[in-house]
Amino acid sequence: MKQALIASIAADRLTWLASVCAAALALGIAAPAAADTLVDNVQGVTIDEEGKIDRFTGLWIDDDGKVKLVLKRGDRRPSGVDYLLDGKGQYLVPGMIDAHAHVLGIGFAALTLDLSGTASLAEAQAKIAAYAAENPGRRWIVGTGWNQEKWGLGRFPTAAELDAVVSDRPVWLERVDGHAGWANSAAIALSGANAASKDPVGGRIERTSGSREPSGIFVDEAMGLVASKIPRPRPEDRDLALQEAQNIMLRSGVTAVADMGTTIEDWQSFRRAGDKGSLKMRIMSYAAGVEAMELIGGPGPSPWLYDDKLRLNGVKLYLDGALGSRGAWLKQPYADDAGNVGLPSMNSSQLRNLMSRAALDKFQVAIHAIGDAANSEVLGAIEDMSGTYQGDRRWRIEHAQVVDPAELALFGRHGIIASMQPVHQTSDRTMAEARLGQGRLAGAYAWNSIADTGARLAFGSDAPVESVDPFAGLATAFTRTDAAGQPFGGWQPQERVNREQALAAFTYGGAYAGFAEGRFGRLVEGERADFLLVDRDLLLSSPEEIRSLKVLQTWVGGERVYDSAGGERGN
Ligand SMILES: [Zn+2]
């Protein structure tokens, strides 16, 4: 790497650049945030206007962090750029866009103590003690994932066994299935549960043998006695979770994300990061309900803030639950639960009222719909409303997991965005077969059929429900197989999309779904230079190779924000 400063540069800018360079050099990464940059000698790809692959070998980035020129092999290179990155023949792809994730959820999940890998009580205790020591500022120690069966304990653990490792603060650890929690004495004291407490309806307070004293285990409805005492995250906790989530996403190759369900507190955290200059990824925000939407956006969607790093686009609404818990709303009963069709979370007029409330002020509407009845209801509501709310609305259906094949065409007719998460298909397939039965799989996770209607696909992860890794999603999208290559030939393989479509849905599709096309998502003149250097060719590697792809560097707006060799930049 070499760098050359233009002689005619203004003196103050020169000083500033020099200090940036000095700071960057100290970090072992030498990319000034604002200067003309030439990224050269790369094998670059992007999605063009027609959704086809366009190849190039260099990018000239201006001092606003936008692509000034895409350079092909043989094109004359500009002279006198401030900074040159020699890609040494590496592969360059657009930054991945995750069209559906929960940003602070990712951060909080990563910051929570995870006991799922522990094989004995002693191992869990050691891990808890170490975590408490590493996190002296945390008022509560909260964790998940323990399983006394896996420990070979033959009984539940006790408060005393937790007190032995952490007694200075309350500790609350949920069992792996979420149906029981383990508290230490400090947490029990705060819960108010004691020998005189009755078990709540639908729950049980485990007692120390030979007495009525709580033993430390709270089952089902009794869990709330302790869990309700955990303080809400403070602003600084949220800021920490945001930085954690951002680090995870940037090193995974995700440069922009749609945050599905932003609260006012989340938004304030995003804003604080933007104000401080520590917001390095792009967030397209969908408020957690109409009330949050009005609080955050006021009279309409926010402007694009911080050089296209943040915008409130609209609102996220829920119409049903999930297939796994049989909360998804189906047209016909569950194949494995006759008489149960799931449940809508609101009725038709409530849904239409909320959609109208948002659409009236030009907020974009994103609706969670899993079951075919829920999708049918949303499609019908969009059809009813598209006369009233004309123009470019880009109604979004989140997940669109099970759609009546007869209704698929509505996606194309109304330009609906199908915001889908390929990895859900592999995680869910056995469960989906059980819930739906073989006869009702035709419209399930129907990526290709939906794309064929002319609708726009936007792919994402739903992290932290699934891993953030966009390359696992990409490999799944064109194979319909999981990490183990199962099932052979792919599940409902006619619903695969091709590699170009998959890449488009993880880049340009996500930008379009968030009204960000022209700003970022593609590596073309005038768009933000958000890109990755990766260690293999996305278009030629096998699905297995793509799953083990390594992100070498992540750049957002012409600034290097992650370097696998030099750690990440930021804060
Ligand atoms: Zn979600």
Side-chain angles (χ1 to χ4, degrees):
M1 290 181 204
K2 59 178 181 182
Q3 64 194 65
L5 295 172
I6 295 176
S8 66
I9 209 161
D12 58 338
R13 178 144 174 252
L14 187 63
T15 314
W16 180 84
L17 250 180
S19 70
V20 168
C21 292
L25 281 170
L27 288 167
I29 49 178
D36 267 25
T37 298
L38 177 63
V39 180
D40 207 356
N41 191 18
V42 293
Q43 304 189 52
V45 296
T46 190
I47 297 293
D48 71 10
E49 309 272 352
E50 278 82 47
K52 295 277 178 292
I53 298 292
D54 190 31
R55 293 173 190 278
F56 56 88
T57 58
L59 284 179
W60 182 5
I61 302 163
D62 71 13
D63 61 4
D64 289 327
K66 292 179 179 168
V67 176
K68 193 165 176 174
L69 213 54
V70 178
L71 301 156
K72 309 267 178 169
R73 196 174 303 280
D75 287 352
R76 213 169 61 82
R77 271 36 188 172
S79 58
V81 291
D82 305 312
Y83 179 75
L84 173 73
L85 174 71
D86 180 354
K88 300 197 171 80
Q90 283 159 353
Y91 301 95
L92 188 151
V93 297
M96 297 293 127
I97 300 178
D98 188 327
H100 182 124
H102 306 275
V103 173
L104 289 188
I106 294 166
F108 282 121
L111 293 169
T112 298
L113 171 60
D114 177 13
L115 297 172
S116 58
T118 58
S120 68
L121 174 60
E123 191 188 341
Q125 285 173 309
K127 206 164 174 189
I128 297 159
Y131 180 86
E134 280 162 22
N135 294 280
R138 209 147 300 169
R139 292 168 295 171
W140 276 63
I141 302 296
V142 177
T144 57
W146 60 271
N147 181 353
Q148 82 283 2
E149 302 297 327
K150 231 170 96 179
W151 296 344
L153 201 57
R155 60 170 174 84
F156 277 130
T158 66
E161 285 160 341
L162 263 186
D163 294 343
V165 287
V166 184
S167 55
D168 62 336
R169 299 168 260 181
V171 180
W172 176 245
L173 306 166
E174 280 193 15
R175 194 175 183 279
V176 63
D177 61 2
H179 284 281
W182 175 22
N184 69 352
S185 294
I188 296 174
L190 287 168
S191 79
N194 56 39
S197 307
K198 289 204 180 79
D199 288 350
V201 176
R204 190 172 72 251
I205 304 167
E206 292 283 329
R207 316 283 173 166
T208 305
S209 63
S211 87
R212 292 272 308 154
E213 290 298 331
S215 76
I217 297 296
F218 295 78
V219 180
D220 285 328
E221 290 303 313
M223 294 170 70
L225 294 171
V226 184
S228 64
K229 298 298 185 295
I230 300 172
R232 286 172 57 74
R234 297 167 298 183
E236 51 267 50
D237 299 328
R238 285 177 199 281
D239 293 352
L240 184 66
L242 173 58
Q243 289 305 317
E244 186 74 16
Q246 176 169 277
N247 289 342
I248 292 169
M249 301 194 103
L250 292 176
R251 71 169 179 255
S252 305
V254 175
T255 54
V257 59
D259 185 50
M260 278 296 156
T262 308
T263 64
I264 182 71
E265 291 92 347
D266 297 346
W267 177 261
Q268 284 164 335
S269 193
F270 300 163
R271 291 297 306 261
R272 282 192 295 276
D275 290 345
K276 281 189 300 194
S278 61
L279 186 63
K280 301 294 180 184
M281 64 177 174
R282 306 187 189 282
I283 302 178
M284 298 171 278
S285 196
Y286 293 81
V290 161
E291 205 174 306
M293 175 194 88
E294 289 173 341
L295 268 173
I296 296 169
S302 79
W304 285 98
L305 302 165
Y306 316 114
D307 299 331
D308 297 338
K309 294 266 176 50
L310 179 66
R311 181 180 189 245
L312 177 79
N313 280 354
V315 65
K316 159 92 179 291
L317 303 172
Y318 281 87
L319 188 56
D320 68 347
L323 269 184
S325 53
R326 299 190 186 81
W329 183 28
L330 299 180
K331 290 186 171 188
Q332 301 296 326
Y334 280 87
D336 57 359
D337 188 6
N340 181 13
V341 293
L343 203 64
S345 43
M346 58 184 127
N347 66 32
S348 283
S349 51
Q350 288 169 322
L351 173 67
R352 284 162 171 77
N353 283 342
L354 293 177
M355 289 170 73
S356 289
R357 173 66 199 84
L360 203 62
D361 286 335
K362 304 233 157 43
F363 288 102
Q364 190 186 10
V365 178
I367 306 171
H368 166 118
I370 302 263
D372 53 1
N375 277 285
S376 179
E377 179 66 39
V378 175
L379 290 165
I382 292 170
E383 183 144 77
D384 292 349
M385 276 185 205
S386 47
T388 313
Y389 301 109
Q390 290 181 347
D392 189 359
R393 295 289 174 166
R394 301 190 200 178
W395 308 95
R396 297 177 58 135
I397 301 187
E398 301 304 313
H399 310 305
Q401 257 172 32
V402 187
V403 180
D404 185 336
E407 295 172 334
L408 284 169
L410 291 169
F411 278 88
R413 189 180 309 156
H414 297 294
I416 296 168
I417 311 284
S419 166
M420 305 178 81
Q421 301 75 39
V423 171
H424 277 324
Q425 180 269 304
T426 52
S427 308
D428 292 0
R429 85 182 146 84
T430 325
M431 182 269 294
E433 286 176 359
R435 299 283 182 277
L436 300 169
Q438 291 296 330
R440 277 193 289 171
L441 299 175
Y445 312 85
W447 313 323
N448 191 40
S449 295
I450 290 178
D452 274 351
T453 70
R456 207 76 75 136
L457 293 179
F459 283 162
S461 68
D462 206 8
V465 177
E466 303 277 4
S467 145
V468 165
D469 181 13
F471 298 102
L474 198 78
T476 303
F478 67 87
T479 59
R480 306 275 283 193
T481 58
D482 63 19
Q486 293 297 319
F488 183 74
W491 188 80
Q492 306 281 321
Q494 71 281 4
E495 293 299 348
R496 280 187 299 232
V497 292
N498 65 37
R499 225 180 258 241
E500 291 73 18
Q501 285 175 300
L503 182 59
F506 268 112
T507 57
Y508 176 67
Y512 180 86
F515 286 96
E517 78 280 10
R519 295 174 188 273
F520 54 88
R522 291 186 303 151
L523 296 168
V524 296
E525 220 178 291
E527 290 203 18
R528 302 277 176 189
D530 298 354
F531 62 89
L532 315 174
L533 291 177
V534 297
D535 70 344
R536 59 201 67 185
D537 187 343
L538 273 187
L539 299 172
L540 294 177
S541 301
S542 70
E544 299 73 44
E545 287 170 335
I546 289 179
R547 287 175 186 278
S548 52
L549 172 148
K550 193 159 184 269
V551 176
L552 304 172
Q553 295 187 9
T554 303
W555 291 63
V556 177
E559 181 187 5
R560 178 163 37 200
V561 291
Y562 167 73
D563 186 340
S564 65
E568 61 242 21
R569 183 162 169 192
N571 285 344

